[in-house]
Amino acid sequence: MANDDIKITLILELVSSEFDVSVNNVLSRSRRDKCVQSRHVAMYLSRQYTDASLKTIGLRIGGRDHSTVISAIESIQNRRQVDDYFHGLLCGIERKLEDNAIVERLEEAAYQDVINVKDGMFHTKPMRLPQPLYCFT
């Protein structure tokens, strides 16, 4: 669950940056269009890129109810289908999220022996760490 919290935090930061709205405004009760849109996009992307439940997403994004999250997801899906500019904006945010996921996997692989890279997935085996030569107490 902590991993989903980190991902939702990253999503909030990316969305607030793209919409030029502070994270606090995304999480707020504000009904300003910019805040509502960014909040809905954050909910939509959190559902797409995390395993968090609707309830968890709602709680993490301003303490909203799960039904609000469902409504936000449907709203973004519908708008994405009819608004090419908006679709492109979402694609850009998704690309950044996916780039971040690749960087995280590369950082993980730096601590392990990489066996094979296939279909964008890293297949690894745990690395044995050498025993320390000195022990300071």
Side-chain angles (χ1 to χ4, degrees), residues 46-65:
S46 294
R47 186 61 172 168
Q48 300 299 315
Y49 285 90
T50 71
D51 295 328
S53 67
L54 295 171
K55 181 179 179 179
T56 300
I57 292 169
L59 290 174
R60 289 280 293 122
I61 303 178
R64 303 306 198 282
D65 188 69

Side-chain angles (χ1 to χ4, degrees), residues 11-127:
I11 289 167
L12 285 167
E13 290 171 0
L14 285 173
V15 168
S16 69
S17 173
E18 289 294 321
F19 282 86
D20 195 29
V21 177
S22 73
V23 172
N24 285 338
N25 281 337
V26 175
L27 299 175
S28 75
R29 294 270 176 209
S30 173
R31 298 293 303 148
R32 285 186 26 232
D33 191 49
K34 214 176 193 183
C35 295
V36 172
Q37 278 185 356
S38 57
R39 187 178 310 123
H40 285 185
V41 168
M43 290 177 181
Y44 170 80
L45 293 172
S46 294
R47 186 61 172 168
Q48 300 299 315
Y49 285 90
T50 71
D51 295 328
S53 67
L54 295 171
K55 181 179 179 179
T56 300
I57 292 169
L59 290 174
R60 289 280 293 122
I61 303 178
R64 303 306 198 282
D65 188 69
H66 77 281
S67 61
T68 303
V69 178
I70 292 170
S71 176
I73 292 168
E74 290 172 355
S75 169
I76 296 302
Q77 287 172 335
N78 292 337
R79 183 167 177 199
R80 186 175 200 167
Q81 291 175 354
V82 297
D83 186 340
D84 290 337
Y85 175 79
F86 188 72
H87 175 75
L89 179 68
L90 286 179
C91 286
I93 297 170
E94 290 170 336
R95 201 170 308 117
K96 288 178 183 178
L97 284 170
E98 289 163 7
D99 288 348
N100 185 69
I102 290 170
V103 168
E104 286 177 359
R105 283 189 276 165
L106 284 172
E107 287 172 349
E108 267 182 38
Y111 298 104
Q112 299 176 349
D113 294 329
V114 176
I115 298 171
N116 189 10
V117 178
K118 183 178 178 183
D119 302 325
M121 298 299 292
F122 296 96
H123 304 278
T124 62
K125 65 179 179 183
M127 184 175 86

